[in-house]
Amino acid sequence: DYKFWKTQPVISFDEKISQEGPIDSRKTVADISEKPLPLLEGFEWDTLDLTSTKELDEVYNLLHENYVEDSGESFRFKYSAEFFDWALKPPGWKKDWHVGVRVKSSKRLVAFISAIPLRLKLHDKIIESVEINFLCVHKKLRSKRLTPVLIKEITRRVNRYDIWQALYTAGIVLPSPISTCRYTHRPINWEKLHEVGFSSLPEDSTKEDMVKKYYIDENNEAIKLEGLRKMTEDDVDEVLELYNKFQAKYELIQVFDKEDLKHWLLKGKEVIYTYVVEDKSNKKITDFFSFYLLPFKILNVPKHEQLNISYLFYYGTDHDSSKKELETRLKLLMKNALVINKGLKIDVFNALTSQDNTLFLEDLNFGLGDGYLNYYLFNYKAFPILGGINKHTKL
Ligand code: YNC
Ligand code: MG
């Protein structure tokens, strides 16, 4: 019955929204305690230094052993030091916001929660906020109500910087999602996905049918995009312009400056991949797309150690004068993304039903997954965004 969440400034399930805006009456930094919240006896707070390999490894190990698993306990996210560098240290990151809980006696890290700065734009209002992620409590400490303490402590630490809003996502339902997206999966190496139990064989199909259905021909001249290449630092200005133009139609977006864009699209080696299409005649960038890599560790099939997974991230195109043109162009871009993914030995390409993804998902054989992703705002009332975050209705 959401004993904790009922006490927090979030939208309740049956609430009718009449106007968008903050929920809590405006506080100031001076109202916020300088002291951390009290913790269970025997535990202590620790601010982690993720520039230190040792502490980064501790977070890695905690999450590796205790973070999100699928319900069958067959897979677990396999985060890497490089991934955390990318996800937890964007421009403006604060050490204060990498919060750990340790056992006092052994100093063992048993819980973690993080915030990163995030400038949101919701229906033309800029909201200075943070994104909360990587909340994790050691399996042996579950159901002891440590989570509310972690959330209140990260809230305190964020408030101390005069920030009062947050965005977070979760698979579980809490009061109340502003939007919900579904995960979709595009098998690339169907055979391996089947062997590890990620993809099942439909009753009316054979394995050969499935392999054929998902076959990607990397030599298909018909989809070759002239001028497709990896994005470099020299492209940042142009890609930012394209990003801004393309995202303008969405209801809830992340506002990037040059440094942000450089970080999110270029910084993580072997984590984030971004490609652009350059028009050879005038050297202008007409399109870009990006995806990040986050493998699964396979827990119970000895033959395979990990599943290579990539996630579609941001994209944009100039070819969007009509819905039809946009649809055609996105299909072409995503076909090229699939070829690149195959070259990187990715087993499955995931995408949410966000942005303009529904224009190409079905055609390109993305299948609906079991997983949903709920988006939440902390201390902000907003009209629900129907049909998935960023899915626009204007075109
Ligand atoms: C969750 N994922 O409902 P009620 S996602 C938020 N997000 O409270 P206890 C959650 N709340 O219902 P356990 C939550 N999961 O009584 C549970 N809760 O009101 C709520 N899993 O606490 C829950 N990572 O400590 C209940 O639960 C209360 O021991 C119960 O621990 C939960 O990062 C958890 O899935 C998730 O490590 C830590 O199961 C544990 O069961 C675990 O007794 C595996 O807690 C990893 C996992 C979650 C990934 C994520 C986003 C988190 C957002 C947190 C909310 C941030 C609010 C904004 C703060 C900043 C504000 C500013 C400014
Ligand atoms: Mg607990």
CSV table of all heavy atoms in Angstrom, one decimal, residues 56-89:
chain,number,residue,atom,x,y,z
A,56,LEU,N,35.2,2.1,-7.8
A,56,LEU,CA,34.4,1.8,-8.9
A,56,LEU,C,34.2,0.3,-9.0
A,56,LEU,O,33.0,-0.2,-9.3
A,56,LEU,CB,35.1,2.3,-10.2
A,56,LEU,CG,34.3,2.4,-11.5
A,56,LEU,CD1,33.2,3.5,-11.4
A,56,LEU,CD2,35.2,2.7,-12.7
A,57,ASP,N,35.2,-0.4,-8.7
A,57,ASP,CA,35.1,-1.9,-8.6
A,57,ASP,C,34.1,-2.4,-7.6
A,57,ASP,O,33.4,-3.4,-7.8
A,57,ASP,CB,36.5,-2.5,-8.3
A,57,ASP,CG,37.2,-2.8,-9.6
A,57,ASP,OD1,36.7,-2.6,-10.7
A,57,ASP,OD2,38.4,-3.2,-9.5
A,58,GLU,N,34.1,-1.7,-6.4
A,58,GLU,CA,33.1,-2.1,-5.4
A,58,GLU,C,31.7,-1.9,-5.9
A,58,GLU,O,30.8,-2.8,-5.6
A,58,GLU,CB,33.4,-1.3,-4.1
A,58,GLU,CG,34.7,-1.6,-3.4
A,58,GLU,CD,34.8,-0.9,-2.1
A,58,GLU,OE1,35.1,0.4,-2.2
A,58,GLU,OE2,34.6,-1.4,-1.0
A,59,VAL,N,31.4,-0.8,-6.5
A,59,VAL,CA,30.1,-0.5,-7.0
A,59,VAL,C,29.8,-1.6,-8.1
A,59,VAL,O,28.7,-2.2,-8.1
A,59,VAL,CB,29.9,0.9,-7.6
A,59,VAL,CG1,28.6,1.1,-8.3
A,59,VAL,CG2,30.1,1.9,-6.6
A,60,TYR,N,30.7,-1.8,-9.0
A,60,TYR,CA,30.6,-2.8,-10.0
A,60,TYR,C,30.2,-4.2,-9.4
A,60,TYR,O,29.3,-4.8,-9.8
A,60,TYR,CB,31.9,-2.9,-10.8
A,60,TYR,CG,31.9,-4.1,-11.8
A,60,TYR,CD1,31.2,-4.0,-13.0
A,60,TYR,CD2,32.5,-5.3,-11.4
A,60,TYR,CE1,31.2,-5.1,-13.8
A,60,TYR,CE2,32.5,-6.4,-12.3
A,60,TYR,CZ,31.8,-6.3,-13.5
A,60,TYR,OH,31.8,-7.3,-14.3
A,61,ASN,N,30.9,-4.6,-8.4
A,61,ASN,CA,30.7,-5.9,-7.7
A,61,ASN,C,29.3,-5.9,-7.1
A,61,ASN,O,28.6,-6.9,-7.2
A,61,ASN,CB,31.8,-6.2,-6.7
A,61,ASN,CG,33.1,-6.6,-7.5
A,61,ASN,OD1,33.0,-7.2,-8.5
A,61,ASN,ND2,34.2,-6.3,-6.9
A,62,LEU,N,29.0,-4.9,-6.4
A,62,LEU,CA,27.6,-4.8,-5.7
A,62,LEU,C,26.5,-5.0,-6.7
A,62,LEU,O,25.7,-5.9,-6.6
A,62,LEU,CB,27.4,-3.5,-4.9
A,62,LEU,CG,26.0,-3.3,-4.4
A,62,LEU,CD1,25.8,-4.2,-3.1
A,62,LEU,CD2,25.8,-1.9,-4.0
A,63,LEU,N,26.6,-4.2,-7.8
A,63,LEU,CA,25.5,-4.3,-8.8
A,63,LEU,C,25.6,-5.6,-9.5
A,63,LEU,O,24.6,-6.2,-9.9
A,63,LEU,CB,25.6,-3.1,-9.8
A,63,LEU,CG,25.4,-1.7,-9.3
A,63,LEU,CD1,24.9,-0.8,-10.4
A,63,LEU,CD2,24.4,-1.6,-8.1
A,64,HIS,N,26.8,-6.1,-9.8
A,64,HIS,CA,27.0,-7.3,-10.5
A,64,HIS,C,26.3,-8.5,-9.8
A,64,HIS,O,25.7,-9.3,-10.4
A,64,HIS,CB,28.4,-7.6,-10.7
A,64,HIS,CG,28.7,-8.7,-11.7
A,64,HIS,ND1,28.3,-8.6,-13.0
A,64,HIS,CD2,29.2,-9.9,-11.5
A,64,HIS,CE1,28.6,-9.7,-13.6
A,64,HIS,NE2,29.1,-10.6,-12.7
A,65,GLU,N,26.4,-8.5,-8.5
A,65,GLU,CA,25.8,-9.6,-7.7
A,65,GLU,C,24.4,-9.4,-7.3
A,65,GLU,O,23.7,-10.3,-7.0
A,65,GLU,CB,26.7,-9.8,-6.4
A,65,GLU,CG,28.1,-10.2,-6.6
A,65,GLU,CD,28.3,-11.4,-7.5
A,65,GLU,OE1,27.5,-12.4,-7.4
A,65,GLU,OE2,29.2,-11.4,-8.4
A,66,ASN,N,24.0,-8.1,-7.3
A,66,ASN,CA,22.6,-7.8,-6.7
A,66,ASN,C,21.7,-7.0,-7.5
A,66,ASN,O,20.6,-6.7,-7.0
A,66,ASN,CB,22.9,-7.1,-5.3
A,66,ASN,CG,23.7,-7.9,-4.4
A,66,ASN,OD1,23.3,-8.9,-3.8
A,66,ASN,ND2,25.0,-7.6,-4.3
A,67,TYR,N,22.1,-6.6,-8.7
A,67,TYR,CA,21.2,-5.7,-9.5
A,67,TYR,C,20.1,-6.5,-10.2
A,67,TYR,O,20.0,-7.7,-10.0
A,67,TYR,CB,22.0,-4.8,-10.4
A,67,TYR,CG,21.3,-3.5,-10.7
A,67,TYR,CD1,20.9,-2.6,-9.7
A,67,TYR,CD2,21.1,-3.1,-12.0
A,67,TYR,CE1,20.3,-1.4,-10.0
A,67,TYR,CE2,20.4,-1.9,-12.3
A,67,TYR,CZ,20.0,-1.1,-11.3
A,67,TYR,OH,19.4,0.1,-11.6
A,68,VAL,N,19.4,-5.8,-11.1
A,68,VAL,CA,18.2,-6.3,-11.7
A,68,VAL,C,18.5,-7.6,-12.5
A,68,VAL,O,19.4,-7.8,-13.3
A,68,VAL,CB,17.7,-5.3,-12.7
A,68,VAL,CG1,16.4,-5.8,-13.3
A,68,VAL,CG2,17.5,-3.9,-12.1
A,69,GLU,N,17.7,-8.6,-12.2
A,69,GLU,CA,17.7,-9.9,-12.9
A,69,GLU,C,16.3,-10.1,-13.5
A,69,GLU,O,15.4,-9.5,-13.1
A,69,GLU,CB,17.9,-11.1,-11.9
A,69,GLU,CG,19.3,-11.3,-11.5
A,69,GLU,CD,19.4,-12.3,-10.3
A,69,GLU,OE1,18.4,-13.0,-10.1
A,69,GLU,OE2,20.4,-12.3,-9.6
A,70,ASP,N,16.3,-10.9,-14.6
A,70,ASP,CA,15.0,-11.2,-15.1
A,70,ASP,C,14.3,-12.2,-14.1
A,70,ASP,O,14.9,-12.7,-13.3
A,70,ASP,CB,15.1,-11.8,-16.5
A,70,ASP,CG,15.7,-13.2,-16.4
A,70,ASP,OD1,16.8,-13.3,-15.8
A,70,ASP,OD2,15.1,-14.1,-17.0
A,71,SER,N,13.0,-12.4,-14.3
A,71,SER,CA,12.3,-13.2,-13.3
A,71,SER,C,12.7,-14.6,-13.3
A,71,SER,O,12.7,-15.3,-12.2
A,71,SER,CB,10.8,-13.1,-13.6
A,71,SER,OG,10.6,-13.5,-15.0
A,72,GLY,N,13.2,-15.2,-14.4
A,72,GLY,CA,13.7,-16.5,-14.4
A,72,GLY,C,15.1,-16.7,-13.8
A,72,GLY,O,15.7,-17.7,-13.8
A,73,GLU,N,15.7,-15.6,-13.4
A,73,GLU,CA,17.1,-15.5,-12.9
A,73,GLU,C,18.1,-16.1,-13.9
A,73,GLU,O,19.0,-16.9,-13.5
A,73,GLU,CB,17.2,-16.2,-11.5
A,73,GLU,CG,16.3,-15.5,-10.5
A,73,GLU,CD,16.6,-15.8,-9.0
A,73,GLU,OE1,17.5,-16.6,-8.8
A,73,GLU,OE2,16.0,-15.2,-8.2
A,74,SER,N,17.9,-15.9,-15.2
A,74,SER,CA,18.8,-16.4,-16.2
A,74,SER,C,19.8,-15.4,-16.6
A,74,SER,O,20.9,-15.7,-17.1
A,74,SER,CB,18.0,-16.8,-17.4
A,74,SER,OG,16.8,-17.4,-17.1
A,75,PHE,N,19.5,-14.1,-16.5
A,75,PHE,CA,20.4,-13.0,-17.0
A,75,PHE,C,20.5,-11.9,-15.9
A,75,PHE,O,19.6,-11.7,-15.2
A,75,PHE,CB,19.8,-12.4,-18.2
A,75,PHE,CG,19.4,-13.4,-19.3
A,75,PHE,CD1,18.0,-13.6,-19.5
A,75,PHE,CD2,20.3,-14.1,-20.0
A,75,PHE,CE1,17.6,-14.5,-20.4
A,75,PHE,CE2,19.9,-15.0,-21.0
A,75,PHE,CZ,18.5,-15.2,-21.2
A,76,ARG,N,21.6,-11.3,-15.9
A,76,ARG,CA,21.8,-10.1,-15.1
A,76,ARG,C,22.6,-9.1,-15.9
A,76,ARG,O,23.5,-9.4,-16.6
A,76,ARG,CB,22.5,-10.5,-13.8
A,76,ARG,CG,22.4,-9.4,-12.7
A,76,ARG,CD,23.2,-9.8,-11.5
A,76,ARG,NE,22.7,-11.0,-10.8
A,76,ARG,CZ,23.4,-11.9,-10.3
A,76,ARG,NH1,24.7,-11.9,-10.4
A,76,ARG,NH2,22.9,-12.9,-9.7
A,77,PHE,N,22.3,-7.8,-15.7
A,77,PHE,CA,23.1,-6.8,-16.4
A,77,PHE,C,24.6,-6.9,-16.0
A,77,PHE,O,24.9,-7.1,-14.9
A,77,PHE,CB,22.6,-5.4,-16.0
A,77,PHE,CG,21.3,-5.0,-16.6
A,77,PHE,CD1,20.3,-4.6,-15.8
A,77,PHE,CD2,21.2,-4.9,-18.0
A,77,PHE,CE1,19.0,-4.3,-16.3
A,77,PHE,CE2,20.0,-4.6,-18.5
A,77,PHE,CZ,18.9,-4.2,-17.7
A,78,LYS,N,25.4,-6.8,-17.0
A,78,LYS,CA,26.9,-6.9,-16.8
A,78,LYS,C,27.5,-5.5,-17.0
A,78,LYS,O,28.0,-5.2,-18.1
A,78,LYS,CB,27.5,-8.0,-17.8
A,78,LYS,CG,28.9,-8.3,-17.4
A,78,LYS,CD,29.4,-9.5,-18.3
A,78,LYS,CE,30.8,-9.7,-18.1
A,78,LYS,NZ,31.3,-10.8,-18.9
A,79,TYR,N,27.4,-4.7,-16.0
A,79,TYR,CA,28.0,-3.4,-16.1
A,79,TYR,C,29.5,-3.5,-16.1
A,79,TYR,O,30.1,-4.4,-15.6
A,79,TYR,CB,27.5,-2.5,-14.9
A,79,TYR,CG,26.0,-2.2,-15.0
A,79,TYR,CD1,25.1,-2.9,-14.2
A,79,TYR,CD2,25.6,-1.3,-15.9
A,79,TYR,CE1,23.8,-2.6,-14.3
A,79,TYR,CE2,24.2,-1.0,-16.0
A,79,TYR,CZ,23.3,-1.6,-15.2
A,79,TYR,OH,22.0,-1.3,-15.3
A,80,SER,N,30.1,-2.5,-16.7
A,80,SER,CA,31.6,-2.4,-16.7
A,80,SER,C,32.0,-1.1,-16.2
A,80,SER,O,31.2,-0.1,-16.0
A,80,SER,CB,32.1,-2.5,-18.2
A,80,SER,OG,31.6,-1.4,-18.9
A,81,ALA,N,33.3,-1.0,-15.8
A,81,ALA,CA,33.8,0.3,-15.3
A,81,ALA,C,33.6,1.4,-16.4
A,81,ALA,O,33.2,2.5,-16.0
A,81,ALA,CB,35.3,0.1,-15.0
A,82,GLU,N,33.8,1.1,-17.6
A,82,GLU,CA,33.6,2.0,-18.7
A,82,GLU,C,32.2,2.5,-18.8
A,82,GLU,O,31.9,3.7,-19.0
A,82,GLU,CB,34.0,1.4,-20.1
A,82,GLU,CG,35.5,1.1,-20.3
A,82,GLU,CD,35.9,-0.1,-19.5
A,82,GLU,OE1,35.1,-1.0,-19.2
A,82,GLU,OE2,37.1,-0.2,-19.2
A,83,PHE,N,31.2,1.6,-18.5
A,83,PHE,CA,29.8,1.9,-18.6
A,83,PHE,C,29.5,2.9,-17.4
A,83,PHE,O,28.8,3.9,-17.7
A,83,PHE,CB,28.9,0.7,-18.5
A,83,PHE,CG,27.5,1.0,-18.8
A,83,PHE,CD1,27.0,1.0,-20.0
A,83,PHE,CD2,26.7,1.4,-17.7
A,83,PHE,CE1,25.6,1.3,-20.3
A,83,PHE,CE2,25.3,1.8,-18.0
A,83,PHE,CZ,24.8,1.7,-19.2
A,84,PHE,N,30.0,2.6,-16.3
A,84,PHE,CA,29.7,3.5,-15.1
A,84,PHE,C,30.4,4.9,-15.3
A,84,PHE,O,29.8,5.9,-14.9
A,84,PHE,CB,30.2,2.9,-13.8
A,84,PHE,CG,29.4,1.9,-13.3
A,84,PHE,CD1,29.9,0.7,-12.8
A,84,PHE,CD2,28.0,2.0,-13.3
A,84,PHE,CE1,29.1,-0.3,-12.3
A,84,PHE,CE2,27.2,1.0,-12.9
A,84,PHE,CZ,27.7,-0.2,-12.4
A,85,ASP,N,31.5,4.9,-15.9
A,85,ASP,CA,32.2,6.2,-16.3
A,85,ASP,C,31.3,7.0,-17.1
A,85,ASP,O,31.1,8.3,-16.9
A,85,ASP,CB,33.5,5.9,-17.0
A,85,ASP,CG,34.7,6.2,-16.2
A,85,ASP,OD1,34.5,6.8,-15.1
A,85,ASP,OD2,35.8,6.0,-16.6
A,86,TRP,N,30.6,6.4,-18.1
A,86,TRP,CA,29.7,7.1,-19.0
A,86,TRP,C,28.4,7.5,-18.3
A,86,TRP,O,28.0,8.6,-18.4
A,86,TRP,CB,29.5,6.1,-20.2
A,86,TRP,CG,28.6,6.7,-21.2
A,86,TRP,CD1,28.8,7.7,-22.1
A,86,TRP,CD2,27.3,6.2,-21.6
A,86,TRP,NE1,27.7,7.9,-22.9
A,86,TRP,CE2,26.8,7.0,-22.6
A,86,TRP,CE3,26.5,5.1,-21.1
A,86,TRP,CZ2,25.5,6.8,-23.2
A,86,TRP,CZ3,25.2,4.9,-21.7
A,86,TRP,CH2,24.8,5.7,-22.7
A,87,ALA,N,27.8,6.5,-17.6
A,87,ALA,CA,26.5,6.7,-17.0
A,87,ALA,C,26.5,7.6,-15.8
A,87,ALA,O,25.5,8.3,-15.5
A,87,ALA,CB,25.8,5.4,-16.7
A,88,LEU,N,27.6,7.6,-15.0
A,88,LEU,CA,27.6,8.3,-13.7
A,88,LEU,C,28.4,9.5,-13.7
A,88,LEU,O,28.4,10.2,-12.7
A,88,LEU,CB,28.0,7.3,-12.6
A,88,LEU,CG,27.0,6.2,-12.2
A,88,LEU,CD1,27.6,5.2,-11.3
A,88,LEU,CD2,25.7,6.9,-11.6
A,89,LYS,N,29.2,9.8,-14.7
A,89,LYS,CA,30.0,11.0,-14.7
A,89,LYS,C,29.8,11.9,-15.9
A,89,LYS,O,30.8,12.3,-16.6
A,89,LYS,CB,31.5,10.6,-14.6
A,89,LYS,CG,31.8,10.0,-13.2
A,89,LYS,CD,33.3,10.0,-12.8
A,89,LYS,CE,33.9,8.6,-13.1
A,89,LYS,NZ,35.3,8.6,-13.1
